[in-house]
Amino acid sequence: MTEVGTSVLPRAAIVAGRILAWALATLILVTALCTIWIGARGALAYRHLERVQVGASDIASSLTDDPSQMTSSLARLAADAREARDLTSDPAWKLAEAVPWVGPQLNALRTVAASSDQLLGESLLPLSVAAKDVSIDSFKLVNGHIDTSALSSLAAPASSAAVEATSAAQAVDDINRRPLLGVVDSAVSRAGKLFSQAAGAIDGLSRTSQLLPKMLGQDAPRNYLLVVQNNAEWRSLGGITGTAVLIHTDKGAVSLADTQSATGLVRELAEPIVPLSDDITQIYGTRPARYFHNLTQIPDFTVDGPIAREMYRSRTGVEVDGVLAVDPVVLSYLLKAIGPVELPTGDSLTDSNAVQLLMNEVYRRYADPAAQDAVFAGAASAVFQGLISGRGSTDALLVALGRASEERRLLVWSAAPDEQAVLDGTSLAGQLPVTDTRTARFGVYFNDGTGSKMSYYIKPDVTVMSDICQSVSAPHQTQLTLNLTLTSDAPADAAASLPEYITGGGSFGTAPGNTKTIINIYLPEGFALASAVSSDHSTFMQNTYDNRDVLTFGSELAPGASIQITASVRGVATVDGVEAFVTPTADSALSPIVSDSCTRY
């Protein structure tokens, strides 16, 4: 009989059990200590990263208020980012990243910390040191001149900074957010937005410092054609090109060399001035290469720019080095920065009246197209002269130009291939929307079919949706939906109350007061059409341009009427967001870039 308290197990088993118990106890203790250790370091790292985020706004202010303070501010934030990186990169932290549930949170925090250190310590801080002697006023025209040497000195450091900033932003963008908790997911989202904005700004500075000195004639005199679009009569990228301005640059000096109306340049050519691809002619015919007014009917400025250059050369003999495009909304942004300008008509053109005056009121006042052209030319010239005289603060001008660029209202094409390569892929290039691994992109483009200025009264409402609302890394079946509503807010008595020049007078088969619009919807690459319907049950044509399916609808709206179009596509991709590029209108409150509610940021 066994005594009480005496084990029946062999001694070896008893020893093994004790060893296992000690091992488990030790593991529990180590785990607890690691948890405390990681938790403490994580809290400290998070505090450092919070200071980085809060300090970012101070840096933005110093860039415009006192650039000399930027380096010291960046140095303090870089120290915080370095501390956060050190706190989240020790062996215990990396070991804990393998633990289910908590591991992804720790990995995300470490990635944000490392990327913050890269962005601040390896991108922004070296750039600020290189730029310490460059004033922000170097970007401003003073008495018609810009110091190109200041910009050139930034080219190399800005290029290096852009590489580091893009890498840092990409690392944060690549974080798998599906397993992240609310507070961590929110922090990663804020970091992603901040990093994306910073990388975009540095990339913009890099491209500007490479391009602008050359465009300003640093090495040799240059000529550029500036065309002003009129959104009162829609074309895909904005509106008809009504005014053409020749700008001459030489060693940083900028001057206005010539101003002409589109009617005076090229009204109609029997044959296209340059060959057009079959893809283009199937959708737009040959009119974009036969009428100067129709230049931006093709929604790709890398195609439109060469056409404009050749048309101008054929008429004037001047072969320009590039083409730029703006619209009256851009002029209003610039007027907000430089203040009102006086027109030859005696009008004061301001940021609040420029759009209405140039896109509607001028047609009510003057029936003669020559008089209208004189107003447009006077406005373009007055704003340009205000710019080159040095009016307005530099930061206000940069804000105006930045907004115009983001909204794809400011477009630039260069005849020099190496310079165009720097522009490619930016909003300035005005190219077709591109679908990447994260975001699928539609194009929604409008062209007036009334032969009038009735587009001014048409209001588009575009929304896009995705059935995937979280970050994913593997290809998956996705359905995307685009909804478009066009509404006419023309006066009910438009046929009688509006001038014939605005209504078109029925000259092209549209009843006065009605508005005819041709709608081209470009589907994202890699996606196939699932369905497309319009509220008026009209049919549509389907073509292909540059590997994109293009749907073409027609619409004729009476005052107060609306039409709704819905297009859905399906495809296998890694995207978790969807956007649409939309024709910029006369209404600056309507963003030409529309995103869905499920985008990453």
Side-chain angles (χ1 to χ4, degrees), residues 492-512:
D493 62 346
S497 63
L498 297 179
E500 184 176 315
Y501 199 91
I502 292 180
T503 67
S507 299
F508 293 91
T510 304

Side-chain angles (χ1 to χ4, degrees), residues 367-387:
D368 183 3
Q372 299 164 5
D373 289 342
V375 174
F376 300 140
S381 176
V383 173
F384 183 79
Q385 293 296 341
L387 285 172

Side-chain angles (χ1 to χ4, degrees), residues 25-84:
T26 302
L27 178 60
I28 292 171
L29 178 60
V30 169
T31 300
L33 290 174
C34 283
T35 301
I36 295 171
W37 173 258
I38 291 168
R41 291 173 72 86
L44 289 172
Y46 190 80
R47 194 172 300 168
H48 284 295
L49 291 176
E50 274 192 319
R51 284 203 288 266
V52 170
Q53 184 176 346
V54 172
S57 60
D58 296 333
I59 292 176
S61 298
S62 71
L63 282 171
T64 54
D65 297 337
D66 187 4
S68 64
Q69 297 300 312
M70 184 178 69
T71 300
S72 57
S73 298
L74 278 172
R76 289 193 296 271
L77 293 185
D80 276 312
R82 187 167 53 253
E83 286 289 337

Side-chain angles (χ1 to χ4, degrees), residues 176-202:
N176 181 6
R177 288 173 51 191
R178 294 186 72 182
L180 300 185
L181 299 177
V183 64
V184 179
D185 185 58
S186 178
V188 171
S189 178
R190 291 196 305 271
K193 186 174 183 179
L194 180 64
F195 279 48
S196 178
Q197 290 174 341
I202 297 170

Side-chain angles (χ1 to χ4, degrees), residues 260-272:
Q260 295 199 31
S261 70
T263 304
L265 280 171
V266 180
R267 186 167 182 82
E268 179 180 7
L269 297 172
E271 297 293 333

Side-chain angles (χ1 to χ4, degrees), residues 122-132 134 150-164 202 205-206 209:
E122 299 175 38
S123 175
L124 284 168
L125 187 56
L127 177 59
S128 71
V129 172
K132 63 180 180 181
V134 178
L151 286 171
S152 297
S153 68
L154 290 178
S159 178
S160 298
V163 171
E164 296 293 343
I202 297 170
L205 175 62
S206 173
S209 59

Side-chain angles (χ1 to χ4, degrees), residues 41-304:
R41 291 173 72 86
L44 289 172
Y46 190 80
R47 194 172 300 168
H48 284 295
L49 291 176
E50 274 192 319
R51 284 203 288 266
V52 170
Q53 184 176 346
V54 172
S57 60
D58 296 333
I59 292 176
S61 298
S62 71
L63 282 171
T64 54
D65 297 337
D66 187 4
S68 64
Q69 297 300 312
M70 184 178 69
T71 300
S72 57
S73 298
L74 278 172
R76 289 193 296 271
L77 293 185
D80 276 312
R82 187 167 53 253
E83 286 289 337
R85 183 173 193 167
D86 291 343
L87 286 165
T88 58
S89 58
D90 68 309
W93 187 285
K94 291 181 179 178
L95 183 65
E97 288 184 14
V99 177
W101 186 72
V102 73
Q105 324 303 318
L106 299 178
N107 176 268
L109 185 58
R110 178 173 61 83
T111 301
V112 171
S115 296
S116 297
D117 184 36
Q118 183 179 15
L119 176 65
L120 288 161
E122 299 175 38
S123 175
L124 284 168
L125 187 56
L127 177 59
S128 71
V129 172
K132 63 180 180 181
D133 296 325
V134 178
S135 167
I136 193 170
D137 285 330
S138 300
F139 294 85
K140 181 181 177 182
L141 277 160
V142 179
N143 296 323
H145 186 272
I146 289 181
D147 180 8
T148 59
S149 62
L151 286 171
S152 297
S153 68
L154 290 178
S159 178
S160 298
V163 171
E164 296 293 343
T166 299
S167 174
Q170 187 62 54
V172 175
D173 188 62
D174 286 341
I175 294 174
N176 181 6
R177 288 173 51 191
R178 294 186 72 182
L180 300 185
L181 299 177
V183 64
V184 179
D185 185 58
S186 178
V188 171
S189 178
R190 291 196 305 271
K193 186 174 183 179
L194 180 64
F195 279 48
S196 178
Q197 290 174 341
I202 297 170
D203 180 68
L205 175 62
S206 173
R207 294 174 192 258
T208 299
S209 59
Q210 293 176 60
L211 270 181
L212 202 53
K214 297 177 182 179
M215 293 181 67
L216 290 169
Q218 176 179 264
D219 304 320
R222 296 282 187 97
N223 287 308
Y224 289 90
L225 184 65
L226 172 66
V227 297
V228 182
Q229 299 189 83
N230 187 333
N231 317 71
E233 185 172 347
W234 278 337
R235 295 295 183 266
S236 296
L237 293 182
I240 61 167
T241 45
T243 303
V245 178
L246 183 65
I247 298 173
H248 181 71
T249 64
D250 188 7
K251 292 182 172 55
V254 184
S255 59
L256 191 156
D258 184 33
T259 302
Q260 295 199 31
S261 70
T263 304
L265 280 171
V266 180
R267 186 167 182 82
E268 179 180 7
L269 297 172
E271 297 293 333
I273 199 161
V274 298
L276 297 176
S277 69
D278 290 341
D279 284 358
I280 291 175
T281 57
Q282 286 176 0
I283 302 171
Y284 304 103
T286 60
R287 295 171 66 86
R290 293 193 297 116
Y291 293 83
F292 198 82
H293 282 126
N294 285 3
L295 283 172
T296 54
Q297 193 171 12
I298 304 167
D300 186 345
F301 203 63
T302 63
V303 176
D304 305 334

Side-chain angles (χ1 to χ4, degrees), residues 29 88 156 223 350 378 391 406 409 548:
L29 178 60
T88 58
N223 287 308
T350 71
R391 289 174 53 179
E406 289 173 3
R409 296 180 185 274
R548 296 164 177 81

